[in-house]
Amino acid sequence: MTFTTGARSRIWARIVSALVLAGAFNATGASGATPAKVSGSTALALAGVIAPLSPDLTGAEKKAVAMLFAANEEIPYKKPIVVTVDKIVCRTGNVDITLRNCELTFGKKSRTVNGSTANEIFATEALAGIPPDGAAGSNFESLSQLSCTIDPNAIRRKDGSGADCTFQPGN
């Protein structure tokens, strides 16, 4: 079978495109080495479920994040708020369907939550694109180095800005 010069060029262009796409996926998705980023409502949701559990935030910061997450942008707090957690590991059961827990690590402090709080974190991680991993009757989701910046002044503008998070998927 013979190909015209134009057909050969199109075939090579497709091969090169496929290789570039495969390399991009391998560099960002499969290795987990590149931090993931989310912004807007998903970032506000991540910060909103983590902030109440953080030992690093002041009461005023926790209240401000809670009010923003509850659609109340009329808060007196004006400064950006940074919500961080070193590691989150959540587990749900698909055999023991009552099992729902997450362990959060803030520096040297750890906190385990169960039930609806763990379910909120698990579901919000899924919303942010954290893939579940299964093992013997359980589903796991984990991330590390979560850092969310919430800017109440930007959120008040209602233009989709004001909430940004970065994290490492997996452990």
Side-chain angles (χ1 to χ4, degrees), residues 78-131:
K78 307 288 184 212
K79 296 185 288 187
I81 302 161
V82 179
V83 179
T84 61
V85 62
D86 295 321
K87 186 175 179 181
I88 303 172
V89 178
C90 291
R91 180 175 166 210
T92 62
N94 55 16
V95 175
D96 176 1
I97 62 171
T98 65
L99 177 65
R100 282 173 179 68
N101 66 44
C102 294
E103 183 172 340
L104 294 87
T105 306
F106 301 90
K108 295 183 186 226
K109 299 176 184 176
S110 290
R111 179 148 184 205
T112 300
V113 295
N114 297 295
S116 62
T117 302
N119 197 68
E120 288 176 348
I121 295 169
F122 191 91
T124 306
E125 284 183 337
L127 179 68
I130 303 297

Side-chain angles (χ1 to χ4, degrees), residues 27-46:
T28 60
S31 72
T34 303
K37 296 178 183 180
V38 294
S39 49
S41 64
T42 302
L44 181 58
L46 264 175

Side-chain angles (χ1 to χ4, degrees), residues 11-21:
I11 290 170
W12 278 110
R14 288 181 182 153
I15 290 170
V16 169
S17 295
L19 290 172
V20 168
L21 182 61

